[in-house]
Amino acid sequence: MKVSSLIILFVLLVGIFFSIGYCTRKRPAKVTKKSSMKDKKNTDNKKSETSLETASTNSTPSDSVLPFKVQQMTYDRVQLAYRKKLAIVKGLLKQQDINTLDIELFIRAVKLEREVEVWARQKGMKPFKLVRTYKFCESSGELGPKRKDGDKQIPEGFYHINRFNPVSKFHLSLGLNYPNRSDKVLGDTTGLGGDIFLHGDCVTVGCIPITDNNIRELYVFAVEAKAHGQKKIPVNIFPARLDNAGFNKLKEQYKAQEDLVEFWASLKKGYEYFENTKELPTIIFAKSGKYIVKTK
């Protein structure tokens, strides 16, 4: 009996051992492989969707992701300007011993004489040289700064170009940062107006038109300066040539308007500094709105 009992017990233990082994063994490799392939497929789909999204974005880039000059050259009017004026621009620069388009630009306008001057220099070099003068094609308002919306005045003061418009109503246009900090203090706070441009055509209610032909040339100058790294292209607008003779004439003619003469006196310091050095002064805006010309 003992031997039989031991044999039966042995058989039972072996059966239990194999049952436990079967229940606890790993799932077949096929099941695991199938699950892994499914996860990989989902991951690949996500990657593909991301790639397509990126490809779609890259295939239709916005203007903001294009280099400045490349973006400008997508417009027909800018292409036309370059076809007609690039060789002329290069020639004008060469006449002043500037044998490169790697330039810095400065624009000065004088209202009484109705002239827009283009000054340039090779980047990092001194001094600025006069390379071109354009005539106002038309003018509006009187001498004196722009102080409110609708006064038809051309601003006076120290500005810079802040917009390039290749689809302007007036062919091409370069926008000024009017109103600047001085205008916002000294002007009509209920409405200063805006959208002051150097542009083509021959009409104006406060802008400076210089004809389609001339704005093409000026636009090429400005695009090249910005494309070569000039962040701000200064634009100074004066009531007249503010040398001593010119200022004295204004002072006599407008002697009853002391505030206006005082304003022009602050502009005169900037005008004189450039005339004497062919370098641009640093302009500081006082809390009162007045310009403070800091010479180097």
Side-chain angles (χ1 to χ4, degrees):
M1 286 294 293
K2 288 183 177 181
V3 174
S4 300
S5 298
L6 288 172
I7 292 171
I8 293 170
L9 180 60
F10 176 78
V11 172
L12 289 172
L13 288 172
V14 170
I16 292 169
F17 175 81
F18 280 105
S19 297
I20 293 171
Y22 179 82
C23 293
T24 58
R25 71 178 181 175
K26 294 181 180 179
R27 296 300 181 195
K30 287 184 179 180
V31 175
T32 304
K33 187 176 182 181
K34 185 176 181 180
S35 176
S36 298
M37 288 298 291
K38 184 177 180 180
D39 291 342
K40 186 176 186 300
K41 187 176 181 181
N42 288 339
T43 304
D44 288 344
N45 285 341
K46 288 179 181 179
K47 287 182 179 178
S48 297
E49 289 167 6
T50 304
S51 298
L52 287 171
E53 183 180 5
T54 304
S56 176
T57 301
N58 290 339
S59 63
T60 55
S62 64
D63 289 349
S64 60
V65 301
L66 287 172
F68 171 74
K69 185 176 176 180
V70 174
Q71 183 266 327
Q72 285 289 313
M73 291 297 286
T74 62
Y75 294 94
D76 291 343
R77 296 178 191 177
V78 181
Q79 293 175 26
L80 176 64
Y82 267 80
R83 286 198 301 271
K84 288 181 171 290
K85 297 296 183 178
L86 181 58
I88 295 173
V89 165
K90 288 180 177 179
L92 291 168
L93 291 171
K94 189 174 182 179
Q95 288 176 16
Q96 300 300 326
D97 296 322
I98 304 172
N99 297 312
T100 177
L101 290 172
D102 187 11
I103 57 171
E104 295 177 4
L105 203 66
F106 165 57
I107 299 170
R108 181 168 72 174
V110 284
K111 290 165 62 173
L112 183 63
E113 289 81 358
R114 295 173 58 141
E115 290 181 340
V116 175
E117 298 172 345
V118 180
W119 297 75
R121 66 182 179 187
Q122 184 174 340
K123 190 191 297 183
M125 302 295 287
K126 299 179 181 181
F128 278 98
K129 298 178 180 180
L130 181 64
V131 296
R132 190 61 132 176
T133 300
Y134 309 113
K135 281 289 187 180
F136 288 29
C137 184
E138 188 54 81
S139 188
S140 66
E142 302 173 348
L143 298 188
K146 183 176 180 63
R147 289 291 180 246
K148 63 180 180 180
D149 188 19
D151 62 6
K152 299 183 180 180
Q153 288 291 96
I154 297 171
E156 293 174 5
F158 302 96
Y159 301 94
H160 64 264
I161 291 172
N162 67 352
R163 284 167 289 173
F164 286 71
N165 186 0
V167 289
S168 170
K169 292 180 180 178
F170 308 105
H171 195 54
L172 297 167
S173 60
L174 299 167
L176 304 185
N177 67 319
Y178 170 88
N180 64 17
R181 289 166 60 186
S182 174
D183 300 317
K184 290 175 182 177
V185 174
L186 299 176
D188 185 345
T189 56
T190 63
L192 289 166
D195 289 335
I196 302 298
F197 291 86
L198 291 158
H199 62 64
D201 210 328
C202 248
V203 294
T204 183
V205 286
C207 296
I208 301 177
I210 58 173
T211 74
D212 290 357
N213 183 55
N214 288 334
I215 194 62
R216 290 184 191 120
E217 193 171 283
L218 180 56
Y219 205 88
V220 171
F221 272 117
V223 168
E224 287 301 322
K226 184 172 174 63
H228 283 88
Q230 187 173 1
K231 294 181 179 179
K232 290 184 179 180
I233 299 174
V235 180
N236 293 178
I237 306 178
F238 299 107
R241 297 199 177 278
L242 293 180
D243 51 20
N244 288 332
F247 180 72
N248 288 336
K249 286 181 181 179
L250 289 178
K251 189 164 63 172
E252 177 62 27
Q253 185 177 352
Y254 292 87
K255 59 185 177 183
Q257 301 180 47
E258 294 182 3
D259 289 344
L260 182 57
V261 172
E262 185 180 351
F263 173 75
W264 285 338
S266 71
L267 299 185
K268 183 177 187 292
K269 294 177 182 178
Y271 182 92
E272 285 182 326
Y273 181 82
F274 182 80
E275 281 293 289
N276 293 333
T277 66
K278 299 302 181 288
E279 290 290 315
L280 294 169
T282 299
I283 305 299
I284 299 173
F285 297 91
K287 290 183 179 180
S288 63
K290 293 181 179 179
Y291 293 110
I292 297 175
V293 177
K294 185 177 179 181
T295 57
K296 299 175 184 178

